[in-house]
Amino acid sequence: MKNSPVSHPSRTGIDWPRAQAFLARERASYVARNPQSAELAAQAQQHLLFGVPLHWMSDWGTPFALHVAHASGALVTDVDGHTLVDFCLGDTGAMFGHAPAPVAQALVNQATRGYTTMLATADAAAVGQSLSERFGLPYWQFAMSATDANRYIVRWIRAATGRKKLLVFNGCYHGTIEDVFVDLVNGQPVQRSSLMGQVHDLTKHTVVVEFNDLPALEAALQQGDVACVLAEPVMTNIGMVLPEPGFWSAAQALIRQHGALLVMDETHTISTGPSGYARAHGIQADALVLGKPVGGGVPCAVYGMSASLAARAMRAKQEAPPGHSGIGTTLTGNMLAMAAMRAALTEVMTTSAYAHMLTQAQALASGLHSILQKHRLPWCVTQVGARTEFQFCATPPRNGSEADRVLDGELEHLIHLSLLNRDILITPFHNMMLVCPQTTPAHVAQLLDALDAVLSEITALSLSA
């Protein structure tokens, strides 16, 4: 049997007709093994938009939504009784495991003592001190999500600097703050076509350049109207894109030279270590955002500021007319979230937890390398601490455009569904995997064995083996 022509660079080494036949069998297997999920999905279709609580939950590539019964540590149990080893971990929201015991106990203790009062608590002061010690920024505020935290810090910086423009990197993701949904298309900034219901022209106040492109960054900053650069220290949501050696050192100098500020969004890159990627690599940010995992999975987020930025922000508020600043919500800083964050920061996000996670992640990355070599697939493996990913290209992409070109939704869904049928859960978009403090060597081996089996079914090499 001859292999079909390669229709996409990602499919080099893949027998696509054979893969499609395999996918049909996997979809049938999913239907057969998940009757309770099918029944619940049918019920949900009657009242939930797209049949799920959040429309993103329909992006898994499954015939219908998988429904979860409970989750603990590194394991998820679905309503049909399958126990899945979870390497998705809520796309970082449960990076320290599902229902970590200290956070669970903190929530139990707070459960009869009030959830929200719009007043300060002792927990809030303790969280602020812990964040300051961990990340090196003295002043902090809270939000309900990283999206809100990014939106708020950008507003504070615009107010503090008097500048209106935001600079982001092509292919970035910072939650659903509207300002960042601008892409480079043939070198020109274009509002992302997938953005629903947006009526204002985002390109008027958002500047976009490629990651790792220092000349483009300098040219944009020279205009003198950029309030801040909002960036992940490593791009993560279009597939991982690592900074080239010396990039952030030079970028920081340019940002300072032209009077802009630097905001590091560490929501995903907190996988690096207890203090995140920026501090581990000597990046001196003016502000930092952290969402998802900081409360052990409870909805909350934080953002911190340097002393100089905090002074400028407070002065801007004091000099502004009275009234709502447009920053914060009634539930921001609620008592339940404060209790969860205090427990997560002091008892869950520990040095020993990271030591275990990094060991397992390294074992996972090494195993992935070996499997890809075995199947002669020209794919690379990228790792940032506890976060590991394989990408459909021989060398890691250096910017968002390169990363976007190697994405292959059909192949990703095939791999994800097939792993799911083998009791392994990874993210439903690109090929990201996280380990948590409860991930064991046996869990890593189970993932590697499952991926090996899947690739054996779809690679051209397997036909001649």
Side-chain angles (χ1 to χ4, degrees), residues 39-331:
E39 183 177 337
L40 289 172
Q43 293 177 22
Q45 287 285 349
Q46 300 175 46
H47 301 291
L48 300 181
L49 197 65
F50 298 99
V52 284
L54 173 66
H55 67 276
W56 294 357
M57 294 179 184
S58 63
D59 289 348
W60 286 85
T62 54
F64 45 81
L66 185 75
H67 283 66
V68 173
H70 57 86
S72 178
L75 303 176
V76 167
T77 301
D78 65 31
V79 294
D80 286 284
H82 307 114
T83 298
L84 313 173
V85 184
D86 189 2
F87 290 91
C88 174
L89 296 170
D91 190 26
T92 311
M95 195 181 85
F96 299 98
H98 296 286
V103 174
Q105 188 58 56
L107 295 176
V108 168
N109 294 342
Q110 190 63 45
T112 58
R113 300 172 60 199
Y115 303 154
T116 184
T117 60
M118 210 170 68
L119 295 168
T121 63
D123 284 339
V127 169
Q129 180 179 348
S130 181
L131 290 167
S132 179
E133 292 170 352
R134 183 178 291 254
F135 296 107
L137 292 172
Y139 293 99
W140 293 82
Q141 287 280 270
F142 303 103
M144 292 299 294
S145 68
T147 289
D148 281 344
N150 280 313
R151 181 177 291 116
Y152 299 159
I153 193 62
V154 168
R155 290 181 73 100
W156 280 119
I157 291 174
R158 282 172 166 160
T161 63
R163 296 181 176 187
K164 295 181 179 180
K165 290 193 175 180
L166 168 68
L167 189 148
V168 296
F169 292 106
N170 187 37
C172 71
Y173 180 76
H174 300 285
T176 55
I177 171 176
E178 293 85 351
D179 306 64
V180 306
F181 284 82
V182 178
D183 297 321
L184 281 179
V185 178
N186 297 322
Q188 297 300 313
V190 176
Q191 190 164 299
R192 195 171 300 174
S193 59
S194 63
L195 185 58
M196 301 294 294
Q198 178 64 38
V199 296
H200 304 294
D201 183 0
L202 299 177
T203 62
K204 291 183 176 180
H205 296 112
T206 299
V207 181
V208 58
V209 301
E210 293 285 12
F211 197 65
N212 283 318
D213 189 340
L214 288 169
L217 176 63
E218 182 173 21
L221 291 170
Q222 282 177 341
Q223 304 303 311
D225 54 1
V226 172
C228 67
V229 174
L230 172 61
E232 293 181 291
V234 174
M235 294 185 72
T236 64
N237 214 65
I238 198 165
M240 282 201 281
V241 180
L242 298 170
E244 294 181 339
F247 171 72
W248 276 120
S249 177
Q252 289 178 90
L254 290 172
I255 293 166
R256 286 192 297 269
Q257 177 186 342
H258 295 288
L261 300 179
L262 175 60
V263 181
M264 287 275 96
D265 183 346
E266 292 261 23
T267 299
H268 286 168
T269 55
I270 192 64
S271 62
T272 305
S275 300
Y277 188 100
R279 202 167 193 195
H281 291 83
I283 302 172
Q284 301 292 324
D286 299 287
L288 182 144
V289 168
L290 177 59
K292 293 183 184 179
V294 71
V298 172
C300 56
V302 300
Y303 59 101
M305 306 180 192
S306 66
S308 60
L309 173 56
R312 294 170 74 181
M314 287 189 286
R315 183 167 59 250
K317 175 67 176 111
Q318 292 161 356
E319 293 175 353
H324 202 302
S325 63
I327 297 172
T329 63
T330 305
L331 291 176

